[in-house]
Amino acid sequence: DTGIGNATDKVAKIQFACDAVLRSVLGRKAEGVLQETGTKHVVEIASPVGVVFGIIPVTNPVSTIVFKTLISLKSRNALVYSCHRDAIHVGNLVGELIRSALTRNGAPDGLVQWVANRTDRRKTAGFMRHPQVGIILATGGPSIVEAAYKSGKPAIGVGAGNAPVWICADADLAVAARGVVQSKSFDNGVICGSENNLVVDATV
């Protein structure tokens, strides 16, 4: 649908989002008192925010929808997500699959919703400022993440990554090279966590 990346690696990403993320939240407490530190008089309490607005990138649409759905539902929140315009079709398909699974399991109607038509910045900004949105989970380019931060709502953003990687003096060069090539080539390098450049100690 998006025309970027490759299908085999996207399947691996989706399986990770479905399985590893689910296993990471299963059995964990997500409401009420989570932790109490007597010596510092600090109590950590989890409570829902209501509606989560999720911004979905073109690079990883399905895996991002899956993990944002899982963490929103685990924390007892509803989710409305909006895909990048070039991932609308796959975003709609994933939404229908999620809706079907939720209906089969007796979840309330509309617990997970999505923007089914082509989006634009004005429509996205409207959702970000909507009075019933409690928090924004923004994944995308720097401009959309910055817009989420400036929306007046609590926001957690993941923007451009492609961090530099330091190859230190005592690095195992063969292992490092293998890791860099595997990371940068995975899904044709569209993952924001893949290496953008290397900073290599002069001694190696």
Side-chain angles (χ1 to χ4, degrees):
D1 188 33
T2 63
I4 59 175
N6 68 71
T8 301
D9 290 345
K10 289 195 183 301
V11 168
K13 280 195 295 190
I14 294 164
Q15 288 174 331
F16 177 81
C18 291
D19 184 46
V21 174
L22 177 62
R23 282 190 283 110
S24 76
V25 299
L26 281 176
R28 294 182 66 180
K29 191 173 182 183
E31 61 178 312
V33 176
L34 301 183
Q35 184 175 317
E36 191 163 355
T37 309
T39 56
K40 295 183 180 178
H41 307 289
V42 175
V43 180
E44 185 179 354
I45 300 172
S47 62
V49 298
V51 177
V52 175
F53 181 57
I55 299 172
I56 309 300
V58 68
T59 49
N60 309 296
V62 178
S63 53
T64 307
I65 293 169
V66 170
F67 101 77
K68 287 185 180 181
T69 298
L70 290 171
I71 64 175
S72 295
L73 298 184
K74 175 66 178 182
S75 55
R76 300 183 300 138
N77 294 292
L79 172 68
V80 176
Y81 68 81
S82 177
C83 288
H84 185 281
R85 61 185 174 275
D86 292 336
I88 283 289
H89 301 299
V90 72
N92 289 341
L93 177 60
V94 175
E96 294 295 345
L97 290 169
I98 291 170
R99 177 183 286 164
S100 174
L102 291 173
T103 300
R104 285 195 313 271
N105 287 279
D109 289 340
L111 187 59
V112 173
Q113 300 178 38
W114 61 95
V115 180
N117 301 314
R118 185 181 173 93
T119 59
D120 57 44
R121 289 296 169 101
R122 189 190 311 180
K123 188 186 293 185
T124 302
F127 274 103
M128 289 194 287
R129 290 192 302 267
H130 195 283
Q132 290 185 313
V133 166
I135 192 170
I136 301 164
L137 300 180
T139 308
S143 60
I144 194 70
V145 171
E146 184 179 357
Y149 288 152
K150 292 181 175 178
S151 68
K153 300 280 185 174
I156 299 172
V158 178
N162 300 318
V165 173
W166 179 40
I167 308 298
C168 58
D170 61 350
D172 182 323
L173 296 183
V175 170
R178 212 165 31 246
V180 168
V181 170
Q182 287 174 346
S183 172
K184 195 62 180 173
S185 62
F186 183 81
D187 203 20
N188 294 351
V190 302
I191 299 284
C192 63
S194 64
E195 293 77 358
N196 188 51
N197 56 74
L198 305 180
V199 178
V200 183
D201 191 291
T203 59
V204 292

